[in-house]
Amino acid sequence: NVLILLSSQSMPLAVSKIVSEKLERRQYKNAYKIFKGALFYGAVLGVSFGLFAFLGADWLATSVYKSQPAAVALKVLAPTLTVACILGVMRGYFQGMGNMIPTAISQIFEQIVNAVVSVIAAYELTVYGVSISKMSKLGESAGPAYGAAGGTLGTLTGAIAALIIVVIVFWNSYGNIKKPIRKDKTKVEDSYATITKVIIFTITPVLISSTIYNISNLLDNPIYGNIVTGIFDVSSKTRAELWGVYSAKYRVLTTMPIAIASSLSTAIVPAMVRSYIAKDKQGMENKVSLALKFSMLIAFPCGMGLSVLGGPINQLLFGDGSKRTATIMIFSLLTVVVFSLSTISNAILQGIDKLNIPIKNSAISLVLHLIILPVLLIVFRLDIYAVVIGDITFGLTVSILNAFSIKKHMGYSHDLRETFLRPFICSAAMGIMCYLAYWLTSKIIPINALCTLFAIMVAVIVYAVVLIISGTVTENELMSVPKGTMLIRLLKKVHLL
Protein backbone atom coordinates (compact mmCIF):
# COMPACT_ATOMS: atom_id res chain seq x y z
CA ASN A 1 0.00 0.00 0.00
CA VAL A 2 2.83 2.40 0.86
CA LEU A 3 4.67 1.61 -2.38
CA ILE A 4 1.49 2.12 -4.41
CA LEU A 5 0.86 5.44 -2.64
CA LEU A 6 4.34 6.55 -3.65
CA SER A 7 3.68 5.50 -7.23
CA SER A 8 0.14 6.81 -7.65
CA GLN A 9 0.33 10.07 -5.63
CA SER A 10 3.95 11.19 -5.48
CA MET A 11 4.70 10.70 -9.18
CA PRO A 12 1.73 12.74 -10.50
CA LEU A 13 2.41 15.53 -8.02
CA ALA A 14 6.12 15.76 -8.82
CA VAL A 15 5.68 15.53 -12.62
CA SER A 16 2.83 18.07 -12.63
CA LYS A 17 5.04 20.50 -10.70
CA ILE A 18 7.90 20.35 -13.22
CA VAL A 19 5.63 20.39 -16.29
CA SER A 20 3.53 23.34 -15.05
CA GLU A 21 6.72 25.28 -14.32
CA LYS A 22 7.97 24.77 -17.89
CA LEU A 23 4.57 25.61 -19.40
CA GLU A 24 4.33 28.81 -17.34
CA ARG A 25 7.61 29.85 -19.02
CA ARG A 26 6.14 28.73 -22.39
CA GLN A 27 8.86 26.10 -22.82
CA TYR A 28 6.66 23.50 -24.50
CA LYS A 29 9.51 21.41 -25.95
CA ASN A 30 11.18 21.18 -22.56
CA ALA A 31 7.88 20.26 -20.91
CA TYR A 32 7.44 17.36 -23.34
CA LYS A 33 11.05 16.31 -22.80
CA ILE A 34 10.38 16.29 -19.06
CA PHE A 35 7.45 13.97 -19.69
CA LYS A 36 9.56 11.50 -21.69
CA GLY A 37 12.36 11.60 -19.11
CA ALA A 38 9.89 11.09 -16.27
CA LEU A 39 8.39 8.08 -18.07
CA PHE A 40 11.83 6.44 -18.14
CA TYR A 41 12.48 7.37 -14.49
CA GLY A 42 9.03 6.06 -13.51
CA ALA A 43 9.58 2.78 -15.35
CA VAL A 44 12.92 2.21 -13.60
CA LEU A 45 11.43 3.11 -10.21
CA GLY A 46 8.35 0.95 -10.84
CA VAL A 47 10.36 -2.10 -11.86
CA SER A 48 12.58 -1.63 -8.78
CA PHE A 49 9.56 -1.37 -6.47
CA GLY A 50 7.96 -4.39 -8.15
CA LEU A 51 11.06 -6.57 -7.84
CA PHE A 52 11.46 -5.56 -4.19
CA ALA A 53 7.85 -6.51 -3.41
CA PHE A 54 8.06 -9.81 -5.35
CA LEU A 55 11.50 -11.03 -4.32
CA GLY A 56 11.19 -9.73 -0.76
CA ALA A 57 7.63 -10.97 -0.19
CA ASP A 58 8.61 -14.02 1.88
CA TRP A 59 11.05 -12.02 4.03
CA LEU A 60 8.54 -9.19 4.61
CA ALA A 61 5.75 -11.61 5.49
CA THR A 62 7.83 -13.86 7.75
CA SER A 63 10.34 -11.55 9.43
CA VAL A 64 8.59 -8.16 9.49
CA TYR A 65 4.88 -8.96 9.82
CA LYS A 66 5.14 -12.45 11.34
CA SER A 67 2.47 -13.58 8.86
CA GLN A 68 3.72 -16.03 6.23
CA PRO A 69 0.36 -16.17 4.33
CA ALA A 70 0.72 -12.46 3.41
CA ALA A 71 3.53 -13.36 0.96
CA VAL A 72 1.04 -14.69 -1.63
CA ALA A 73 -0.81 -11.36 -1.83
CA LEU A 74 2.45 -9.37 -1.97
CA LYS A 75 3.70 -11.37 -4.95
CA VAL A 76 0.45 -10.85 -6.87
CA LEU A 77 0.54 -7.13 -6.03
CA ALA A 78 4.14 -6.61 -7.18
CA PRO A 79 3.46 -5.86 -10.92
CA THR A 80 0.96 -3.18 -9.87
CA LEU A 81 3.85 -1.04 -8.67
CA THR A 82 5.39 -0.85 -12.15
CA VAL A 83 2.02 -0.06 -13.76
CA ALA A 84 1.22 2.57 -11.09
CA CYS A 85 4.52 4.43 -11.60
CA ILE A 86 4.02 4.76 -15.36
CA LEU A 87 0.35 5.67 -14.83
CA GLY A 88 1.39 8.30 -12.26
CA VAL A 89 3.75 9.99 -14.74
CA MET A 90 1.07 10.19 -17.44
CA ARG A 91 -1.51 11.57 -15.01
CA GLY A 92 1.04 14.09 -13.76
CA TYR A 93 1.71 15.31 -17.32
CA PHE A 94 -1.98 16.06 -17.91
CA GLN A 95 -2.32 17.66 -14.45
CA GLY A 96 0.69 19.88 -15.18
CA MET A 97 -1.19 21.12 -18.27
CA GLY A 98 -4.15 21.97 -16.01
CA ASN A 99 -6.23 19.04 -17.26
CA MET A 100 -7.62 16.83 -14.46
CA ILE A 101 -10.14 15.02 -16.70
CA PRO A 102 -7.85 12.08 -17.74
CA THR A 103 -7.02 11.47 -14.07
CA ALA A 104 -10.70 11.60 -13.07
CA ILE A 105 -11.94 9.30 -15.86
CA SER A 106 -9.14 6.77 -15.39
CA GLN A 107 -9.72 6.68 -11.61
CA ILE A 108 -13.42 5.93 -12.11
CA PHE A 109 -12.65 3.01 -14.45
CA GLU A 110 -9.83 1.88 -12.15
CA GLN A 111 -12.13 1.60 -9.15
CA ILE A 112 -14.93 -0.13 -11.08
CA VAL A 113 -12.57 -2.79 -12.47
CA ASN A 114 -10.84 -3.07 -9.08
CA ALA A 115 -14.13 -3.65 -7.24
CA VAL A 116 -15.48 -6.23 -9.69
CA VAL A 117 -12.26 -8.24 -10.09
CA SER A 118 -11.41 -8.06 -6.37
CA VAL A 119 -14.73 -9.62 -5.31
CA ILE A 120 -14.76 -12.33 -8.01
CA ALA A 121 -11.05 -13.18 -7.70
CA ALA A 122 -11.15 -13.17 -3.89
CA TYR A 123 -14.03 -15.66 -3.93
CA GLU A 124 -12.59 -17.95 -6.61
CA LEU A 125 -9.06 -17.97 -5.17
CA THR A 126 -10.37 -18.58 -1.63
CA VAL A 127 -12.13 -21.69 -2.94
CA TYR A 128 -8.91 -22.73 -4.70
CA GLY A 129 -6.85 -22.08 -1.56
CA VAL A 130 -9.17 -24.23 0.54
CA SER A 131 -8.97 -27.04 -2.04
CA ILE A 132 -5.15 -27.18 -1.84
CA SER A 133 -4.86 -26.45 1.90
CA LYS A 134 -3.94 -30.05 2.74
CA MET A 135 -1.10 -30.05 0.22
CA SER A 136 0.09 -26.47 0.88
CA LYS A 137 2.65 -25.53 3.53
CA LEU A 138 0.22 -22.75 4.53
CA GLY A 139 -2.28 -25.34 5.78
CA GLU A 140 -5.61 -23.82 6.88
CA SER A 141 -4.29 -20.35 6.05
CA ALA A 142 -4.19 -21.18 2.33
CA GLY A 143 -7.82 -20.17 1.77
CA PRO A 144 -7.54 -16.68 3.33
CA ALA A 145 -4.06 -16.20 1.83
CA TYR A 146 -5.22 -16.87 -1.73
CA GLY A 147 -8.41 -14.86 -1.08
CA ALA A 148 -6.27 -11.85 -0.11
CA ALA A 149 -4.23 -12.40 -3.28
CA GLY A 150 -7.49 -12.21 -5.22
CA GLY A 151 -8.15 -8.81 -3.64
CA THR A 152 -4.75 -7.54 -4.75
CA LEU A 153 -5.35 -8.96 -8.24
CA GLY A 154 -8.22 -6.46 -8.43
CA THR A 155 -5.79 -3.65 -7.63
CA LEU A 156 -3.50 -4.80 -10.47
CA THR A 157 -6.25 -5.11 -13.08
CA GLY A 158 -7.72 -1.76 -12.01
CA ALA A 159 -4.34 -0.06 -12.50
CA ILE A 160 -3.95 -1.68 -15.95
CA ALA A 161 -7.45 -0.50 -16.94
CA ALA A 162 -6.61 3.06 -15.81
CA LEU A 163 -3.33 3.02 -17.76
CA ILE A 164 -5.15 1.91 -20.92
CA ILE A 165 -7.67 4.78 -20.50
CA VAL A 166 -4.91 7.37 -20.01
CA VAL A 167 -2.95 6.06 -23.03
CA ILE A 168 -6.11 6.32 -25.18
CA VAL A 169 -6.71 9.91 -23.99
CA PHE A 170 -3.06 10.75 -24.66
CA TRP A 171 -3.26 9.26 -28.17
CA ASN A 172 -6.40 11.26 -28.96
CA SER A 173 -4.85 14.45 -27.54
CA TYR A 174 -1.47 13.99 -29.23
CA GLY A 175 -2.24 16.44 -32.04
CA ASN A 176 -3.20 19.21 -29.59
CA ILE A 177 -0.13 18.47 -27.45
CA LYS A 178 2.19 18.74 -30.45
CA LYS A 179 0.77 22.05 -31.79
CA PRO A 180 2.41 24.37 -29.20
CA ILE A 181 5.58 22.24 -29.31
CA ARG A 182 5.96 22.89 -33.06
CA LYS A 183 5.43 26.64 -32.51
CA ASP A 184 7.83 26.77 -29.54
CA LYS A 185 10.60 29.29 -30.19
CA THR A 186 12.56 28.56 -27.01
CA LYS A 187 16.17 29.38 -27.76
CA VAL A 188 17.70 27.15 -25.10
CA GLU A 189 16.44 23.59 -25.20
CA ASP A 190 17.31 21.52 -22.13
CA SER A 191 19.54 18.50 -22.67
CA TYR A 192 18.44 15.13 -21.35
CA ALA A 193 21.28 15.34 -18.81
CA THR A 194 19.79 18.58 -17.44
CA ILE A 195 16.28 17.15 -17.53
CA THR A 196 17.44 14.02 -15.68
CA LYS A 197 18.84 16.21 -12.91
CA VAL A 198 15.61 18.24 -12.71
CA ILE A 199 13.52 15.07 -12.53
CA ILE A 200 15.72 13.43 -9.89
CA PHE A 201 16.00 16.56 -7.74
CA THR A 202 12.23 17.17 -7.92
CA ILE A 203 10.70 13.70 -7.84
CA THR A 204 13.12 12.23 -5.30
CA PRO A 205 12.37 14.77 -2.50
CA VAL A 206 8.62 14.28 -3.10
CA LEU A 207 9.06 10.49 -2.97
CA ILE A 208 11.15 10.70 0.21
CA SER A 209 8.63 13.05 1.83
CA SER A 210 5.74 10.76 0.90
CA THR A 211 7.69 7.71 2.10
CA ILE A 212 8.32 9.21 5.53
CA TYR A 213 4.76 10.54 5.67
CA ASN A 214 3.20 7.14 4.88
CA ILE A 215 5.72 4.81 6.51
CA SER A 216 4.51 5.49 10.06
CA ASN A 217 1.55 3.15 9.58
CA LEU A 218 3.80 0.59 7.91
CA LEU A 219 6.00 0.55 11.04
CA ASP A 220 3.06 0.59 13.46
CA ASN A 221 2.08 -2.97 12.55
CA PRO A 222 5.34 -4.74 13.56
CA ILE A 223 5.85 -2.42 16.58
CA TYR A 224 2.33 -3.11 17.85
CA GLY A 225 2.53 -6.83 17.07
CA ASN A 226 5.91 -7.40 18.69
CA ILE A 227 5.04 -5.45 21.87
CA VAL A 228 1.59 -6.91 22.57
CA THR A 229 2.73 -10.44 21.68
CA GLY A 230 6.19 -10.33 23.26
CA ILE A 231 5.50 -8.30 26.43
CA PHE A 232 1.80 -8.85 27.18
CA ASP A 233 1.49 -12.41 25.78
CA VAL A 234 -1.49 -11.50 23.60
CA SER A 235 -2.24 -14.38 21.22
CA SER A 236 -1.50 -13.95 17.52
CA LYS A 237 -5.20 -14.47 16.76
CA THR A 238 -6.33 -11.69 19.13
CA ARG A 239 -3.58 -9.37 17.85
CA ALA A 240 -4.63 -10.00 14.25
CA GLU A 241 -8.29 -9.35 15.09
CA LEU A 242 -7.51 -6.04 16.83
CA TRP A 243 -5.22 -4.91 14.02
CA GLY A 244 -7.93 -5.90 11.54
CA VAL A 245 -10.45 -3.60 13.26
CA TYR A 246 -7.95 -0.74 13.04
CA SER A 247 -6.56 -1.29 9.53
CA ALA A 248 -9.51 -2.78 7.65
CA LYS A 249 -12.27 -0.68 9.23
CA TYR A 250 -11.03 2.44 11.02
CA ARG A 251 -8.26 3.25 8.52
CA VAL A 252 -10.40 2.38 5.49
CA LEU A 253 -13.25 4.66 6.59
CA THR A 254 -11.06 7.59 7.72
CA THR A 255 -8.89 7.40 4.59
CA MET A 256 -11.88 8.13 2.32
CA PRO A 257 -12.27 11.83 3.29
CA ILE A 258 -8.48 12.22 3.55
CA ALA A 259 -8.32 11.11 -0.10
CA ILE A 260 -10.29 14.25 -1.01
CA ALA A 261 -7.53 16.35 0.58
CA SER A 262 -5.01 14.35 -1.47
CA SER A 263 -6.96 15.18 -4.63
CA LEU A 264 -7.04 18.86 -3.66
CA SER A 265 -3.29 18.78 -3.06
CA THR A 266 -2.71 17.24 -6.49
CA ALA A 267 -4.77 20.00 -8.09
CA ILE A 268 -3.24 22.89 -6.12
CA VAL A 269 0.44 22.20 -6.91
CA PRO A 270 0.38 23.24 -10.62
CA ALA A 271 -1.67 26.36 -9.73
CA MET A 272 0.75 27.24 -6.90
CA VAL A 273 3.73 26.75 -9.21
CA ARG A 274 2.27 29.12 -11.82
CA SER A 275 1.64 31.84 -9.19
CA TYR A 276 5.10 31.27 -7.69
CA ILE A 277 6.86 31.59 -11.08
CA ALA A 278 4.83 34.74 -11.84
CA LYS A 279 5.75 36.13 -8.36
CA ASP A 280 2.04 36.64 -7.68
CA LYS A 281 2.08 36.72 -3.86
CA GLN A 282 -1.61 37.63 -3.57
CA GLY A 283 -2.56 34.84 -5.95
CA MET A 284 -0.57 32.31 -3.89
CA GLU A 285 -2.21 33.43 -0.65
CA ASN A 286 -5.68 33.24 -2.18
CA LYS A 287 -5.04 29.70 -3.44
CA VAL A 288 -3.65 28.59 -0.07
CA SER A 289 -6.58 30.11 1.81
CA LEU A 290 -9.17 28.53 -0.48
CA ALA A 291 -7.48 25.09 -0.49
CA LEU A 292 -7.17 25.00 3.30
CA LYS A 293 -10.73 26.16 3.87
CA PHE A 294 -12.31 23.72 1.44
CA SER A 295 -10.27 20.79 2.77
CA MET A 296 -11.48 21.61 6.30
CA LEU A 297 -15.08 22.10 5.09
CA ILE A 298 -14.92 18.48 3.95
CA ALA A 299 -12.72 17.03 6.72
CA PHE A 300 -14.73 18.30 9.70
CA PRO A 301 -18.18 16.96 8.70
CA CYS A 302 -16.77 13.65 7.41
CA GLY A 303 -14.76 13.14 10.61
CA MET A 304 -17.70 14.21 12.78
CA GLY A 305 -20.05 11.86 10.95
CA LEU A 306 -17.69 8.90 11.39
CA SER A 307 -17.26 9.73 15.09
CA VAL A 308 -20.99 10.01 15.75
CA LEU A 309 -22.18 7.16 13.51
CA GLY A 310 -19.05 4.99 13.63
CA GLY A 311 -20.83 2.03 15.22
CA PRO A 312 -23.88 1.99 12.90
CA ILE A 313 -21.70 2.55 9.79
CA ASN A 314 -19.47 -0.40 10.70
CA GLN A 315 -22.57 -2.50 11.35
CA LEU A 316 -23.93 -1.51 7.93
CA LEU A 317 -20.72 -2.07 5.94
CA PHE A 318 -18.90 -4.81 7.84
CA GLY A 319 -21.56 -6.40 10.07
CA ASP A 320 -19.50 -5.33 13.10
CA GLY A 321 -21.64 -3.77 15.81
CA SER A 322 -19.12 -4.30 18.63
CA LYS A 323 -18.58 -1.64 21.28
CA ARG A 324 -14.82 -1.80 20.71
CA THR A 325 -15.12 -0.82 17.05
CA ALA A 326 -17.60 1.98 17.87
CA THR A 327 -15.18 3.31 20.53
CA ILE A 328 -12.24 3.38 18.10
CA MET A 329 -14.38 5.26 15.57
CA ILE A 330 -14.84 8.16 18.06
CA PHE A 331 -11.28 9.24 17.22
CA SER A 332 -12.21 9.67 13.51
CA LEU A 333 -12.74 13.44 13.72
CA LEU A 334 -9.19 14.11 14.91
CA THR A 335 -7.62 11.67 12.46
CA VAL A 336 -9.44 13.01 9.40
CA VAL A 337 -8.78 16.68 10.26
CA VAL A 338 -5.05 16.42 11.08
CA PHE A 339 -4.22 14.18 8.12
CA SER A 340 -6.24 16.31 5.68
CA LEU A 341 -4.44 19.41 6.97
CA SER A 342 -0.98 17.84 6.84
CA THR A 343 -1.61 16.52 3.30
CA ILE A 344 -2.70 19.87 1.90
CA SER A 345 0.06 21.80 3.73
CA ASN A 346 2.71 19.42 2.31
CA ALA A 347 1.42 20.22 -1.19
CA ILE A 348 1.52 23.98 -0.51
CA LEU A 349 5.20 23.79 0.49
CA GLN A 350 6.02 21.67 -2.56
CA GLY A 351 4.15 24.15 -4.77
CA ILE A 352 6.37 27.05 -3.61
CA ASP A 353 9.50 25.00 -4.33
CA LYS A 354 10.29 24.13 -0.70
CA LEU A 355 10.67 20.43 -1.45
CA ASN A 356 12.97 19.54 1.43
CA ILE A 357 10.85 21.09 4.19
CA PRO A 358 8.09 18.41 4.10
CA ILE A 359 10.87 15.80 4.36
CA LYS A 360 12.31 17.45 7.48
CA ASN A 361 8.91 18.03 9.10
CA SER A 362 7.72 14.49 8.39
CA ALA A 363 11.00 13.02 9.68
CA ILE A 364 10.74 14.97 12.97
CA SER A 365 7.12 13.85 13.34
CA LEU A 366 8.05 10.23 12.59
CA VAL A 367 10.77 10.19 15.27
CA LEU A 368 8.30 11.58 17.85
CA HIS A 369 5.71 9.04 16.71
CA LEU A 370 8.14 6.13 17.17
CA ILE A 371 8.85 7.34 20.71
CA ILE A 372 5.22 7.99 21.67
CA LEU A 373 3.76 4.70 20.33
CA PRO A 374 5.83 2.29 22.50
CA VAL A 375 5.22 4.53 25.55
CA LEU A 376 1.44 4.41 24.98
CA LEU A 377 1.62 0.63 24.51
CA ILE A 378 3.99 -0.31 27.35
CA VAL A 379 3.46 2.38 30.01
CA PHE A 380 -0.22 3.28 29.51
CA ARG A 381 -1.26 -0.14 28.11
CA LEU A 382 -3.68 1.38 25.63
CA ASP A 383 -3.49 -1.60 23.25
CA ILE A 384 -4.88 -0.75 19.77
CA TYR A 385 -5.97 2.72 20.97
CA ALA A 386 -2.24 3.54 21.29
CA VAL A 387 -1.86 3.13 17.51
CA VAL A 388 -4.85 5.41 16.86
CA ILE A 389 -3.57 8.13 19.24
CA GLY A 390 -0.03 7.76 17.84
CA ASP A 391 -1.39 8.35 14.33
CA ILE A 392 -3.15 11.51 15.46
CA THR A 393 -0.02 12.91 17.14
CA PHE A 394 1.99 12.23 13.98
CA GLY A 395 -0.48 14.07 11.72
CA LEU A 396 -0.83 16.91 14.22
CA THR A 397 2.93 17.40 14.49
CA VAL A 398 3.32 17.51 10.70
CA SER A 399 0.48 20.06 10.46
CA ILE A 400 1.96 22.35 13.13
CA LEU A 401 5.48 22.24 11.68
CA ASN A 402 4.12 22.86 8.17
CA ALA A 403 2.08 25.83 9.42
CA PHE A 404 5.23 27.45 10.83
CA SER A 405 7.10 26.73 7.58
CA ILE A 406 4.33 28.27 5.43
CA LYS A 407 4.32 31.38 7.62
CA LYS A 408 8.11 31.65 7.41
CA HIS A 409 8.40 31.29 3.63
CA MET A 410 5.12 32.89 2.49
CA GLY A 411 4.22 35.20 5.34
CA TYR A 412 0.82 33.46 5.44
CA SER A 413 -0.85 32.56 8.75
CA HIS A 414 -3.85 30.24 9.03
CA ASP A 415 -7.12 32.08 9.62
CA LEU A 416 -8.17 30.04 12.66
CA ARG A 417 -11.70 31.42 12.73
CA GLU A 418 -12.60 30.91 9.07
CA THR A 419 -10.56 27.78 8.42
CA PHE A 420 -11.16 25.80 11.61
CA LEU A 421 -13.64 27.32 14.09
CA ARG A 422 -16.58 27.96 11.74
CA PRO A 423 -16.39 24.51 10.01
CA PHE A 424 -16.11 22.85 13.43
CA ILE A 425 -19.20 24.64 14.80
CA CYS A 426 -21.21 23.77 11.67
CA SER A 427 -20.03 20.15 11.91
CA ALA A 428 -20.90 19.99 15.62
CA ALA A 429 -24.46 21.16 14.85
CA MET A 430 -24.63 18.57 12.08
CA GLY A 431 -23.30 15.85 14.43
CA ILE A 432 -25.96 16.56 17.05
CA MET A 433 -28.80 16.43 14.50
CA CYS A 434 -27.29 13.36 12.88
CA TYR A 435 -27.15 11.48 16.21
CA LEU A 436 -30.70 12.55 17.13
CA ALA A 437 -31.98 11.45 13.71
CA TYR A 438 -30.44 7.99 14.14
CA TRP A 439 -31.61 7.63 17.76
CA LEU A 440 -35.19 8.69 17.04
CA THR A 441 -35.46 6.58 13.88
CA SER A 442 -34.07 3.51 15.65
CA LYS A 443 -36.88 3.80 18.23
CA ILE A 444 -39.50 3.72 15.46
CA ILE A 445 -37.86 1.42 12.87
CA PRO A 446 -35.16 -0.73 14.53
CA ILE A 447 -33.40 -1.51 11.23
CA ASN A 448 -29.79 -0.30 11.31
CA ALA A 449 -29.38 0.17 7.55
CA LEU A 450 -32.45 2.40 7.21
CA CYS A 451 -31.64 4.40 10.35
CA THR A 452 -28.02 4.96 9.28
CA LEU A 453 -28.87 6.04 5.73
CA PHE A 454 -31.62 8.37 7.00
CA ALA A 455 -29.23 9.93 9.56
CA ILE A 456 -26.62 10.51 6.84
CA MET A 457 -29.22 12.23 4.62
CA VAL A 458 -30.25 14.46 7.53
CA ALA A 459 -26.57 15.25 8.23
CA VAL A 460 -25.92 16.33 4.61
CA ILE A 461 -28.96 18.64 4.52
CA VAL A 462 -28.31 20.14 7.99
CA TYR A 463 -24.63 20.78 7.23
CA ALA A 464 -25.38 22.46 3.90
CA VAL A 465 -28.03 24.71 5.45
CA VAL A 466 -25.89 25.65 8.48
CA LEU A 467 -22.92 26.48 6.21
CA ILE A 468 -24.98 28.94 4.20
CA ILE A 469 -27.01 30.46 7.07
CA SER A 470 -23.89 31.02 9.20
CA GLY A 471 -22.04 32.65 6.29
CA THR A 472 -19.23 30.09 6.55
CA VAL A 473 -19.37 29.68 2.75
CA THR A 474 -19.87 32.85 0.70
CA GLU A 475 -21.30 33.28 -2.79
CA ASN A 476 -17.83 34.11 -4.18
CA GLU A 477 -16.43 30.88 -2.72
CA LEU A 478 -19.28 28.85 -4.19
CA MET A 479 -18.45 30.31 -7.59
CA SER A 480 -15.00 28.72 -7.41
CA VAL A 481 -16.29 25.14 -7.05
CA PRO A 482 -17.55 22.91 -9.90
CA LYS A 483 -21.23 23.67 -10.73
CA GLY A 484 -21.00 26.64 -8.36
CA THR A 485 -23.30 28.81 -10.50
CA MET A 486 -25.99 26.11 -10.47
CA LEU A 487 -25.67 25.77 -6.67
CA ILE A 488 -26.06 29.53 -6.21
CA ARG A 489 -29.23 29.59 -8.37
CA LEU A 490 -30.69 26.69 -6.37
CA LEU A 491 -29.89 28.31 -3.00
CA LYS A 492 -31.41 31.60 -4.12
CA LYS A 493 -34.61 29.83 -5.14
CA VAL A 494 -35.02 28.39 -1.63
CA HIS A 495 -34.03 31.78 -0.11
CA LEU A 496 -30.84 30.52 1.57
CA LEU A 497 -28.72 33.07 -0.35
Side-chain angles (χ1 to χ4, degrees), residues 52 54-66 68 71 74:
F52 170 73
F54 186 83
L55 299 176
D58 291 310
W59 172 77
L60 285 167
T62 307
S63 302
V64 179
Y65 290 108
K66 314 292 184 188
Q68 176 60 31
L74 279 169

Side-chain angles (χ1 to χ4, degrees), residues 154-449:
T155 308
L156 171 60
T157 53
I160 292 171
L163 181 59
I164 291 169
I165 294 294
V166 173
V167 168
I168 291 170
V169 173
F170 179 81
W171 184 263
N172 290 334
S173 308
Y174 190 70
N176 293 328
I177 291 170
K178 275 292 186 180
K179 277 181 186 176
I181 294 173
R182 284 193 290 267
K183 295 176 182 178
D184 187 2
K185 296 179 180 178
T186 303
K187 292 181 181 179
V188 180
E189 193 173 329
D190 293 342
S191 66
Y192 276 110
T194 303
I195 284 170
T196 302
K197 287 179 185 177
V198 171
I199 291 169
I200 290 172
F201 285 112
T202 303
I203 292 180
T204 305
V206 175
L207 284 172
I208 293 171
S209 173
S210 297
T211 302
I212 297 171
Y213 186 71
N214 290 294
I215 207 170
S216 63
N217 191 245
L218 184 72
L219 298 174
D220 286 349
N221 193 342
I223 291 171
Y224 170 74
N226 288 319
I227 288 176
V228 298
T229 305
I231 297 177
F232 298 111
D233 294 323
V234 174
S235 69
S236 296
K237 184 175 182 295
T238 302
R239 174 189 63 79
E241 286 174 353
L242 287 168
W243 186 261
V245 170
Y246 165 73
S247 62
K249 295 170 185 174
Y250 181 81
R251 286 282 295 187
V252 166
L253 290 171
T254 55
T255 299
M256 290 169 65
I258 296 169
I260 299 172
S262 297
S263 301
L264 268 174
S265 65
T266 303
I268 195 178
V269 167
M272 285 293 294
V273 168
R274 286 191 286 271
S275 295
Y276 180 72
I277 295 297
K279 297 187 178 352
D280 181 5
K281 189 173 185 297
Q282 188 61 49
M284 284 194 295
E285 289 186 357
N286 289 340
K287 289 179 176 70
V288 169
S289 176
L290 204 59
L292 285 170
K293 184 170 181 178
F294 271 100
S295 66
M296 291 301 100
L297 286 173
I298 294 165
F300 271 107
C302 289
M304 184 69 75
L306 289 172
S307 292
V308 172
L309 288 180
I313 289 172
N314 271 281
Q315 176 67 38
L316 174 66
L317 296 176
F318 307 116
D320 181 1
S322 67
K323 186 178 178 182
R324 178 182 58 198
T325 303
T327 305
I328 289 176
M329 292 304 299
I330 292 171
F331 293 92
S332 298
L333 175 62
L334 295 173
T335 298
V336 171
V337 169
V338 297
F339 275 97
S340 294
L341 183 59
S342 57
T343 299
I344 202 78
S345 56
N346 273 345
I348 290 165
L349 288 166
Q350 288 160 350
I352 60 172
D353 217 24
K354 305 300 176 187
L355 299 176
N356 292 323
I357 291 175
I359 297 176
K360 182 182 73 174
N361 292 346
S362 296
I364 293 169
S365 304
L366 180 61
V367 171
L368 288 173
H369 174 75
L370 295 177
I371 295 169
I372 290 168
L373 179 58
V375 171
L376 293 173
L377 284 167
I378 298 168
V379 178
F380 294 95
R381 301 189 177 194
L382 292 177
D383 204 350
I384 196 66
Y385 300 105
V387 181
V388 177
I389 295 168
D391 263 358
I392 293 166
T393 57
F394 173 79
L396 181 62
T397 308
V398 173
S399 299
I400 292 169
L401 293 174
N402 283 354
F404 281 117
S405 300
I406 290 169
K407 184 176 182 180
K408 178 182 176 182
H409 295 284
M410 278 186 62
Y412 176 86
S413 297
H414 294 340
D415 186 335
L416 297 179
R417 182 170 174 269
E418 292 296 324
T419 306
F420 302 104
L421 184 59
R422 278 174 172 265
F424 171 72
I425 292 171
C426 294
S427 300
M430 178 211 78
I432 293 167
M433 295 303 296
C434 178
Y435 178 79
L436 287 174
Y438 180 84
W439 182 77
L440 289 170
T441 311
S442 64
K443 298 295 181 185
I444 302 167
I445 311 171
I447 301 172
N448 179 67

